[in-house]
Amino acid sequence: MRNIFIAGSTGSIGKNALNVIAGYPDKLSAKAIAAGHFTDELKEQVLLFKPSYCVLSTKAESNKAKESFKNIKGVKTKFTFGEEGFREVVLKGDLEIVLNAISGSSGLMLSYMSLAAGKDLALANKESMVMAGDILNKTAKSFNAKIIPVDSEHSALFQCLRCGAKSDVKKLILTASGGPFYNKDKADFKNITVDMALNHPKWKMGKKITIDSSTLANKGLEIIEACYLFNIDEKQVDVLIHPQAAVHSMVEFNDGSIMAQMGAADMKGPIGYALSYPRRFKGLMKPINLAEIGRLDFFAPDNEKFPFLNLARYAIKTGKSMPAVFCVANEFFVNSFLEGKISFNKIAVNVDKVMQSHKLFNLNAIEDVIEAKNQAESLSKQVR
Ligand code: NDP
Ligand code: MG
């Protein structure tokens, strides 16, 4: 039995993860869950999975949860909140794996605390790896914990990399569906509305990552995530647009062989692999039918139309605090776009401005990452 902490349990990845757990009750148990807010959905999850802990983002939300369960007998769940709540769960929760499916930079501390407590980390929250890749890798090494990617491309790379030695890898090829605007004229980008950007053709996901997929900032974050996860140079990470989303990513080896991982566009695949690794769960997903798909297309990305790819490359090449600033500024302006304060094409323009005005510093400890986050937020507020 593997005891799991599902953080972000009411989100798109979190709900999928609970479905996987429910499908393998003799192998997996949701020992702890976490969400930002106490909702009816979270209440249902507590009643169904009976976790030992449920962590909310604030004291007020955790008090709401306690109040709601006051008269319900047989539920022994302890409701806690914030970073102290996370710390208690990772230290005392009797866990094997933490699945971090919190959205955005709020996921940073849980990734760090899980590894520092020696727990394996199934990582959906790419933002924490982008912000603090070196520190998370060092922490994992010091406390003998593994980081297992849940992002579908990185799960694919992780699986393909098992086919050869690290020293034989020539490059990693990230695939991208291209998002809803791949064929749209750049001149029309300024007229893209929030509703248009939230309508992703292939994946149903949380709002932040859906906007990131439409700007290709998501692919930019994934380039950086791949560099840190697999300790590889940015020049060895390519991107290919692949509209069918059947090949989830590829590894090219020095002999010219390319290994690809394929499957349905279904996050149960990478979630299940992270929770079963190094084995696999039987019947996890419906296999794809290649004859029905018929053809697989691949195109080089248009870097001029989607400036986020080059911005991300610039961030990881610059290193130090720049990837964290890139990540946090992007999150800030995605929120501004969602709130109707800026137009679609201003997201990248503004992130670029913040990166240009940032004064680089070394990230030696997690506190430095938090400082980079604070600085990026304050610079973002000054951008006009
Ligand atoms: P969602 O917005 O759907 O869900 C986010 C979850 O995190 C919600 O349960 C939310 O609760 C919770 N949450 C937010 N802040 C906190 C907090 N401070 N403490 C505890 N819980 C919190 O996001 P997704 O599931 O789409 O994405 C999650 C992560 O996985 C992101 O980093 C994303 O990039 C990554 N990812 C997602 C994929 C997908 O298919 N969705 C694919 C690959 C990666 P509440 O709503 O109550 O605030
Ligand atoms: Mg992805």
Side-chain angles (χ1 to χ4, degrees):
M1 180 64 82
R2 282 183 167 174
N3 291 332
I4 303 160
F5 176 18
I6 308 284
S9 65
T10 54
S12 155
I13 295 284
K15 283 191 273 191
N16 256 314
L18 286 176
N19 281 336
V20 171
I21 291 177
Y24 300 91
D26 54 329
K27 294 193 167 70
L28 304 173
S29 158
K31 194 80 177 172
I33 60 176
H37 306 87
F38 182 67
T39 55
D40 289 347
E41 187 169 33
L42 189 69
K43 185 171 181 176
E44 284 296 311
Q45 292 180 350
V46 171
L47 290 169
L48 198 64
F49 291 92
K50 302 188 174 57
S52 304
Y53 291 91
C54 176
V55 187
L56 280 304
S57 58
T58 62
K59 188 172 186 181
E61 292 297 321
S62 128
N63 283 344
K64 266 197 236 168
K66 284 180 192 163
E67 182 63 26
S68 172
F69 278 92
K70 204 169 57 182
N71 299 319
I72 301 178
K73 293 210 168 60
V75 176
K76 297 195 179 68
T77 304
K78 180 170 180 185
F79 294 98
T80 59
F81 64 93
E83 282 179 21
E84 272 315 305
F86 286 155
R87 189 166 288 117
E88 184 175 346
V89 174
V90 298
L91 290 174
K92 297 189 189 157
D94 183 25
L95 304 169
E96 270 77 40
I97 307 178
V98 176
L99 170 60
N100 187 352
I102 292 175
S103 54
S105 55
S106 317
L108 174 68
M109 284 314 282
L110 179 62
S111 288
Y112 176 72
M113 286 194 288
S114 304
L115 296 168
K119 302 298 176 200
D120 287 346
L121 177 65
L123 187 64
N125 180 266
K126 65 191 85 189
E127 290 87 350
S128 51
M129 203 66 199
V130 170
M131 291 169 73
D134 281 337
I135 292 170
L136 295 185
N137 282 334
K138 274 186 210 145
T139 309
K141 201 165 175 212
S142 306
F143 295 94
N144 199 18
K146 286 193 283 293
I147 305 175
I148 307 162
V150 171
D151 208 351
S152 60
E153 295 78 0
H154 304 73
S155 172
L157 295 171
F158 186 72
Q159 295 177 55
C160 295
L161 285 167
R162 292 183 72 190
C163 300
K166 176 79 203 304
S167 54
D168 288 332
V169 172
K170 186 163 180 207
K171 63 183 179 189
L172 309 180
I173 305 165
L174 292 167
T175 53
S177 72
F181 308 130
Y182 201 72
N183 294 315
K184 206 175 179 69
D185 268 357
K186 176 113 192 185
D188 295 333
F189 272 25
K190 58 181 182 307
N191 301 321
I192 291 171
T193 64
V194 171
D195 285 347
M196 286 158 80
L198 284 178
N199 190 12
H200 193 274
K202 281 281 169 195
W203 304 88
K204 182 87 199 83
M205 309 175 287
K207 280 188 184 175
K208 196 250 168 189
I209 185 174
T210 305
I211 301 300
D212 284 347
S213 300
S214 72
T215 59
L216 294 204
N218 183 53
K219 214 45 59 181
L221 291 167
E222 290 182 356
I223 293 173
I224 303 175
E225 183 187 12
C227 293
Y228 285 128
L229 275 174
F230 306 114
N231 187 23
I232 199 160
D233 195 272
E234 164 273 330
K235 287 193 200 70
Q236 290 170 278
V237 184
D238 279 0
V239 172
L240 279 181
I241 305 296
H242 168 47
Q244 291 85 0
V247 173
H248 299 314
S249 279
M250 298 174 256
V251 175
E252 184 178 318
F253 289 95
N254 282 329
D255 62 357
S257 278
I258 298 179
M259 306 303 301
Q261 190 266 336
M262 303 176 73
D266 179 349
M267 287 307 294
K268 279 212 295 294
I271 294 166
Y273 188 69
L275 301 184
S276 62
Y277 173 79
R279 299 289 309 274
R280 288 175 185 271
F281 290 139
K282 196 172 173 184
L284 181 68
M285 290 181 292
K286 201 166 165 250
I288 49 173
N289 182 331
L290 284 172
E292 250 168 42
I293 294 173
R295 58 185 267 185
L296 301 174
D297 297 313
F298 299 95
F299 311 102
D302 184 338
N303 290 327
E304 202 270 320
K305 198 153 138 186
F306 294 96
F308 265 116
L309 295 174
N310 282 337
L311 286 177
R313 288 191 188 278
Y314 171 76
I316 183 71
K317 273 191 282 194
T318 309
K320 299 185 177 182
S321 47
M322 198 56 96
V325 168
F326 168 76
C327 180
V328 173
N330 174 55
E331 187 168 329
F332 183 94
F333 293 112
V334 166
N335 285 330
S336 305
F337 172 66
L338 285 170
E339 289 162 10
K341 292 181 184 158
I342 61 169
S343 66
F344 182 82
N345 52 0
K346 278 282 186 231
I347 306 175
V349 172
N350 289 356
V351 171
D352 193 8
K353 282 186 188 163
V354 170
M355 286 165 73
Q356 296 311 325
S357 55
H358 172 63
K359 292 195 175 54
L360 210 59
F361 56 86
N362 283 323
L363 303 182
N364 298 316
I366 198 73
E367 292 74 20
D368 300 327
V369 184
I370 293 164
E371 176 58 24
K373 177 176 191 278
N374 292 339
Q375 288 196 17
E377 281 169 352
S378 117
L379 285 171
S380 298
K381 284 181 194 149
Q382 292 162 34
V383 167
R384 314 218 165 263

